[in-house]
Amino acid sequence: MNTQGILAAVTIVMYIPFLFTSFKVASKCGIWRGRWTSLLVFCIIRVLGGAFLVAAEKITPANNGLYTAGYMLEVVGLAPLLLSTLSLLRLIFDGPDGEPTDESIFHSLRTFNAAGVLVTVIGFFTVSRSSSGSSTLRKSGFILFSIHYIALVGICIFCWTKVHLVMKYRKRLLKVISFALPFLAVRTVYGVLSTITTDTFTSSTTSSNTSSLAEFDLVTGNWEIFLVMDMITEYAIVIFYTISAFILPLDQDFKAPDFIEDEFPLNRP
């Protein structure tokens, strides 16, 4: 296997443990409630994407469909990571019934995210028909992802301006999110740069890139940059969120003997 195949195999090994831990957390909190489900979806995408790329490296003659599927999952994997952060920020606004009063901003960002995934996937499916049209769609998808990230930063800043109204364990969760956001920024920037410069998603032995941003090409680019800006940043975020899921008893915020709901109006109109 080439370097990309080796990194794909490493990705599988890295995320299989978190596949089980994220499933445990999501099941405990309710799969359909979505608080931690996005993290589970992200881990599934990383394992599947790695499996497709490893299979593509092993099969001869080269199967471009496997490469396309693997790289597509690599690209859209940012979406559930953004949604995971959104879901955790939403937890800060939860009331005793588990629902925030105003869902409009969260619904809007989920729609942005879904639209980004849709146009990105369409861009991959049309890459063989129209290279320029496919590239435009993928770039449009990452514009939406970038807007999503900027909105997450805005929500986080808002929470810090009202931090005196945030409950004990949710304050700790806010610190975790704030610590993860710079890693997510690096990952988003890498996604934008790789989307701009990557034109084909076939075997790296048959592809080349001579642009000024060739180092960020997802297929033929610098693997060290991919390792640091993509793999390590994502893995750090998953570690932060998974640990917080196990050590922060968020439900205890509403069970404290001195809890008075009127003192924490973030979850009220």
Side-chain angles (χ1 to χ4, degrees):
M1 290 192 295
N2 64 11
T3 304
Q4 287 294 341
I6 294 172
L7 291 176
V10 170
T11 298
I12 297 173
V13 174
M14 288 168 59
Y15 281 101
I16 284 179
F18 283 105
L19 192 61
F20 292 104
T21 55
S22 60
F23 177 77
K24 181 178 180 180
V25 173
S27 299
K28 178 182 177 181
C29 299
I31 292 288
W32 300 112
R33 293 186 68 188
R35 301 296 189 272
W36 302 94
T37 305
S38 297
L39 193 63
L40 171 62
V41 172
F42 173 77
C43 293
I44 292 173
I45 286 176
R46 281 293 166 260
V47 172
L48 285 178
F52 279 126
L53 291 176
V54 169
E57 290 291 327
K58 291 292 186 180
I59 293 177
T60 53
N63 186 323
N64 288 336
L66 289 175
Y67 280 108
T68 300
Y71 286 120
M72 180 181 69
L73 291 175
E74 169 59 39
V75 171
V76 301
L78 178 61
L81 205 56
L82 290 168
L83 279 180
S84 294
T85 306
L86 179 66
S87 296
L88 297 189
L89 283 170
R90 183 182 180 278
L91 278 171
I92 296 172
F93 291 84
D94 276 359
D97 60 351
E99 296 294 335
T101 300
D102 188 358
E103 275 271 24
S104 57
I105 182 64
F106 300 104
H107 280 313
S108 298
L109 288 176
R110 283 193 287 266
T111 301
F112 257 86
N113 195 283
V117 171
L118 179 62
V119 296
T120 302
V121 170
I122 293 174
F124 271 91
F125 278 117
T126 58
V127 68
S128 60
R129 302 175 187 174
S130 172
S131 178
S132 61
S134 171
S135 177
T136 299
L137 287 170
R138 296 195 306 274
K139 290 173 183 176
S140 299
F142 261 87
I143 289 174
L144 295 176
F145 292 152
S146 299
I147 293 173
H148 190 166
Y149 174 79
I150 293 170
L152 292 176
V153 174
I155 296 172
C156 190
I157 292 173
F158 171 78
C159 289
W160 278 111
T161 63
K162 305 290 185 180
V163 70
H164 61 287
L165 303 175
V166 180
M167 290 176 284
K168 177 181 178 181
Y169 293 110
R170 280 164 172 75
K171 283 182 182 177
R172 297 179 184 179
L173 178 62
L174 182 58
K175 292 177 182 178
V176 172
I177 296 170
S178 301
F179 193 68
L181 280 176
F183 291 87
L184 190 56
V186 173
R187 174 62 184 90
T188 303
V189 168
Y190 177 80
V192 171
L193 294 175
S194 64
T195 300
I196 290 173
T197 190
T198 307
D199 292 321
T200 60
F201 298 92
T202 56
S203 172
S204 60
T205 58
T206 60
S207 306
S208 61
N209 189 326
T210 58
S211 74
S212 58
L213 295 174
E215 289 184 326
F216 297 97
D217 190 298
L218 194 59
V219 181
T220 62
N222 187 309
W223 70 266
E224 290 96 340
I225 292 178
F226 174 78
L227 176 66
V228 173
M229 296 186 69
D230 186 296
M231 291 179 63
I232 292 179
T233 55
E234 288 182 346
Y235 204 60
I237 295 168
V238 172
I239 290 173
F240 298 152
Y241 291 171
T242 302
I243 291 176
S244 67
F246 282 103
I247 69 173
L248 295 180
L250 298 177
D251 58 325
Q252 296 300 314
D253 276 334
F254 299 110
K255 296 178 181 179
D258 57 346
F259 169 69
I260 302 175
E261 185 174 357
D262 287 343
E263 294 181 357
F264 304 100
L266 271 186
N267 51 52
R268 300 190 293 108

